Amino acid sequence: MHPATSPTAGTPAEPPHRTPAPRRRFLHGMVAAVVAVPLMFGAAACGDDDSAGDGGQVKLSVFWWGGEARAKLTEDALALYTKKHPDVTFEKTWQANQGYFDKLATLTAGGNPPDLFQIDDNYLAEYAGRSTVLDLKSYQDSGKLDVSKFPKSLLEYGVVDGKLAGVAAGENTQGLVYNKTLLTRNGLPEPTTGQSWEEHIAWAEQVAKKAKVPGTQDPSADYKAFWVWLRQQGKDLYNGNELGFTAADVTTWFTLWKGARDRGATPTADVIHEGNASDVTKQLVVTGKAATSWVWVNQMPDLKKNTKDELGVVAYPGDPSAQWARASMYWSVFKGSKHRDTAVDVINFLANDPEAVALLGTDRGLPSNMDLRATVSQTVTDPAMKQSIQVESELAQKFGQSPQVPIKGHSKVKSELVKAAENVQYQRASPAQAAEQFIAACKSAIA
């Protein structure tokens, strides 16, 4: 791999074509070294793929976001595919997360979309609604796409209007990460899965009084926490093409956390604002400004890199069955691809080939194939990742039915929640006023 520049999380980057270095590597003792390979790799075409005039060769374009580490793992897995299927070449493009979906939209609008691309639940429904992505249901039914080892709720979280729009590249779920070292040093109990929201706030207040550190980040601006809480109330974030909650629900949510702030269980508004950043290096549990942060379970290793303290992780408060097996991201196929059969075969390979799954590890979340997840779990050496896998495996026994994939405008809804919650935190609006403003902004976003 010879990147033109190294993409960083905060810098939009045009997605340069990446040429893989001529290498293979051992991983878990499963992959043997091979000779150098060129930029374009080969893979087998099948079915309706149009390879006429190309001597049977198929060039498949693949686009994903991530950093150098993910790029290397992905290229290694694609190189393994070409070793087993030498008739298709891969045109690989990747870039940092920021700006990725702008670039994908540009490629799609310009009539030059990739055959196979990574997407997340912020945009899956939107692309499916525009008939941009291929319905993979027929491939599932025929067995060409084997999802029989996927958790049911994880598979269902890729269905939009009855169509399988994306296949989970990995599984993730919400996690409440806490500073175990801080709690032990002060003789304080650790939070537990199944704790109610009121019990969590009371616990956080106790931590603040004894450890002199706010017990919890205020998650009123965090859509993940709000979503789980809604599901525990019998509601949801969305109901069809409408919102699944009312202004009264939002008012109750904001009021809950205003009470926590008033009791000193959370940091001040300025510090909460710092924690609202998605950058894991700014999460309050690692900056020492709160004893807990509200994250995705698979972020544990990255969090651990930013603190010397021992961290623990449990489910969000309340009934854990409100959580679900969320696709950390999906692989989708462009509906108009001339090589859609091959693209689907690549997805099947990345999900179900033991060597490929071992190569990819947990970079995109826990492997979707439960049998191979167990195999990979046994080989993981990183303590934080081991902990993440253990917690998510335990929660998997309690997962409820997955919600519908978020609708068009979801990204705007998330940002409007931050704005409304911070208006309450900074006392610019009451919970009820901010709730009404949030509902109005959401309705405009999803219209």
Side-chain angles (χ1 to χ4, degrees), residues 60 62 78 81 90 115-118 134 136 139 144-147 150 164-169 330-334 340-353 356-357 360 368:
L60 196 73
V62 186
L78 294 177
Y81 185 88
F90 287 110
D115 296 300
L116 175 62
F117 55 92
Q118 195 172 282
L134 180 67
L136 303 173
Y139 293 90
K144 291 181 180 178
L145 178 61
D146 183 6
V147 291
F150 282 37
L164 184 56
V167 173
Y330 308 88
W331 287 114
S332 289
V333 177
F334 171 52
R340 51 192 177 275
D341 289 351
T342 302
V344 174
D345 190 58
V346 172
I347 295 177
N348 188 67
F349 176 82
L350 296 176
N352 297 310
D353 182 88
V357 172
L360 294 169
S368 300

Side-chain angles (χ1 to χ4, degrees), residues 81-225:
Y81 185 88
T82 201
K83 181 182 179 183
K84 297 185 177 185
H85 306 278
D87 296 332
V88 175
T89 58
F90 287 110
E91 182 181 348
K92 302 174 300 298
T93 310
W94 64 273
Q95 69 170 70
N97 189 314
Q98 186 171 343
Y100 173 86
F101 287 101
D102 291 335
K103 183 63 177 179
L104 183 60
T106 299
L107 291 171
T108 303
N112 188 35
D115 296 300
L116 175 62
F117 55 92
Q118 195 172 282
I119 194 167
D120 67 11
D121 60 3
N122 288 302
Y123 294 96
L124 186 66
E126 181 176 341
Y127 275 71
R130 296 203 306 256
S131 295
T132 302
V133 298
L134 180 67
D135 180 5
L136 303 173
K137 187 67 169 60
S138 63
Y139 293 90
Q140 176 190 354
D141 293 342
S142 69
K144 291 181 180 178
L145 178 61
D146 183 6
V147 291
S148 62
K149 301 297 184 181
F150 282 37
K152 183 180 178 182
S153 60
L154 182 62
L155 175 63
E156 291 174 345
Y157 198 59
V159 175
V160 179
D161 295 330
K163 300 176 181 179
L164 184 56
V167 173
E171 179 188 298
N172 204 2
T173 196
Q174 299 88 350
L176 179 69
V177 174
Y178 59 92
N179 187 323
K180 191 171 184 177
T181 300
L182 175 72
L183 299 178
T184 300
R185 185 168 60 238
N186 288 278
L188 290 161
E190 298 178 25
T192 57
T193 292
Q195 226 174 17
S196 71
W197 292 88
E198 284 294 349
E199 287 171 340
H200 173 71
I201 292 171
W203 169 86
E205 183 181 10
Q206 179 187 9
V207 171
K209 288 179 178 177
K210 189 164 185 180
K212 307 305 180 186
V213 174
T216 183
Q217 158 69 331
D218 176 341
S220 54
D222 190 317
Y223 86 99
K224 302 189 299 300

Side-chain angles (χ1 to χ4, degrees), residues 120-126 152-163 165 174 223 227 231 235-245 296 322 324-327 330 400-410 413 446:
D120 67 11
D121 60 3
N122 288 302
Y123 294 96
L124 186 66
E126 181 176 341
K152 183 180 178 182
S153 60
L154 182 62
L155 175 63
E156 291 174 345
Y157 198 59
V159 175
V160 179
D161 295 330
K163 300 176 181 179
Q174 299 88 350
Y223 86 99
W227 198 348
R231 284 165 61 85
K235 303 290 186 73
D236 219 316
L237 201 58
Y238 302 106
N239 180 14
N241 291 321
E242 304 293 334
L243 298 176
F245 57 90
W296 296 109
W324 66 96
R326 174 187 180 261
Y330 308 88
Q401 183 177 353
S402 63
Q404 69 175 74
V405 176
I407 59 179
K408 179 182 178 181
H410 177 58
V413 169
I446 66 176

Side-chain angles (χ1 to χ4, degrees), residues 247-308:
D249 296 319
V250 184
T251 300
T252 300
W253 174 248
F254 286 165
T255 301
L256 174 69
W257 290 102
K258 180 180 183 303
R261 291 191 299 276
D262 292 345
R263 291 162 61 178
T266 77
T268 60
D270 285 341
V271 177
I272 294 169
H273 176 73
E274 291 178 30
N276 286 339
S278 59
D279 186 349
V280 294
T281 65
K282 296 179 181 178
Q283 294 303 307
L284 303 188
V285 74
V286 297
T287 61
K289 296 181 179 180
T292 64
S293 286
W294 308 74
V295 299
W296 296 109
V297 169
N298 75 336
Q299 291 179 306
M300 274 289 287
D302 287 330
L303 289 165
K304 188 64 187 73
K305 290 175 184 176
N306 290 280
T307 179
K308 295 180 180 179

